[in-house]
Amino acid sequence: MLNNVVVPLDGSALSEQALPYAANVVEAAGRITLVSVLELLADYDYSLVDIPMTVVTAREIGQEEVDVMNQRMLQYLQGQADNLRRKGYRVDCVVEVGRPAEAINAVAERVSAQAIIMTTHGRTGFSKWLFGSVTQKVIAQMPCPVMVVPGKVVVEAEEPVGDTDSLTIPATS
């Protein structure tokens, strides 16, 4: 069993799928550090393709907006942390600003994590090539082992399909 892991969360249900895995591999009184990264600066190099990109920096949106985003993400992480604390885990919440993979690895190194447990969003094709994968970048620079949980998209019906008790199947001749 591990006693100190980092779990990156981006606010999506997909990223939260790493939480049960973390709870399964961490000792009952172990430490889980939840980390989220606000990526405000996009500095991709599109030397092979000409795609216009909007670069957003903290200066352009204002420090007040950055503080609001930071506070919202921290509140989200605290909500996730409360669920884990009820199960006996010690949980820290960290919000960083910067490039996600670099920030995740820096936090893992700073807290001396034994592992990073994260989901992959499963992008393929052009999207993966163009933007890269945070998971791949974390693995490329990993300061500790990385457990990658395949993200599964759960589709829920908004309304019941119908009354299945009165479903009749026509007889075949």
Side-chain angles (χ1 to χ4, degrees), residues 10 18 22 41 56 80 87 90 96 101 106 108 139 146 149 151:
D10 64 7
L41 178 61
V56 179
Q80 297 300 320
K87 297 175 185 174
R90 294 177 295 149
E96 296 283 326
I139 291 170
V146 177
V149 177

Side-chain angles (χ1 to χ4, degrees), residues 98-162:
R99 293 185 179 120
E102 291 174 12
I104 292 165
N105 283 329
V107 169
E109 201 166 355
R110 189 169 63 236
V111 301
S112 301
Q114 292 173 299
I116 298 169
I117 302 173
M118 63 190 301
T119 57
T120 180
H121 286 242
R123 288 190 184 103
T124 58
F126 184 72
S127 171
K128 182 177 175 182
W129 171 79
L130 184 61
F131 299 106
S133 164
V134 172
T135 305
Q136 285 181 329
K137 291 174 184 175
V138 167
I139 291 170
Q141 306 165 2
M142 62 183 172
C144 59
V146 177
M147 178 181 179
V148 179
V149 177
K152 295 187 183 358
V153 176
V154 179
V155 179
E156 296 180 15
E158 291 180 19
E159 297 178 11
V161 177

Side-chain angles (χ1 to χ4, degrees), residues 7-122:
V7 180
L9 298 175
D10 64 7
S12 71
L14 202 59
S15 68
E16 292 169 13
Q17 291 176 18
L19 293 171
Y21 289 89
N24 283 333
V25 300
V26 174
E27 296 173 354
R31 179 172 306 283
I32 299 173
T33 302
L34 303 179
V35 62
S36 188
V37 182
L38 301 176
E39 186 177 20
L40 300 178
L41 178 61
D43 61 348
Y44 303 103
D45 179 13
Y46 294 105
S47 57
L48 297 176
V49 271
D50 187 23
I51 298 175
M53 228 12 217
T54 303
V55 176
V56 179
T57 64
R59 222 173 323 175
E60 291 171 331
I61 65 170
Q63 188 59 47
E64 191 172 310
E65 287 90 349
V66 172
D67 292 342
V68 168
M69 291 168 48
N70 192 319
Q71 189 59 37
R72 284 185 185 157
M73 191 53 74
L74 193 55
Q75 288 173 345
Y76 160 74
L77 292 178
Q78 289 294 348
Q80 297 300 320
D82 289 344
N83 294 333
L84 292 166
R85 287 182 185 121
R86 282 191 283 278
K87 297 175 185 174
Y89 300 101
R90 294 177 295 149
V91 185
D92 295 318
C93 299
V94 178
V95 178
E96 296 283 326
V97 176
R99 293 185 179 120
E102 291 174 12
I104 292 165
N105 283 329
V107 169
E109 201 166 355
R110 189 169 63 236
V111 301
S112 301
Q114 292 173 299
I116 298 169
I117 302 173
M118 63 190 301
T119 57
T120 180
H121 286 242

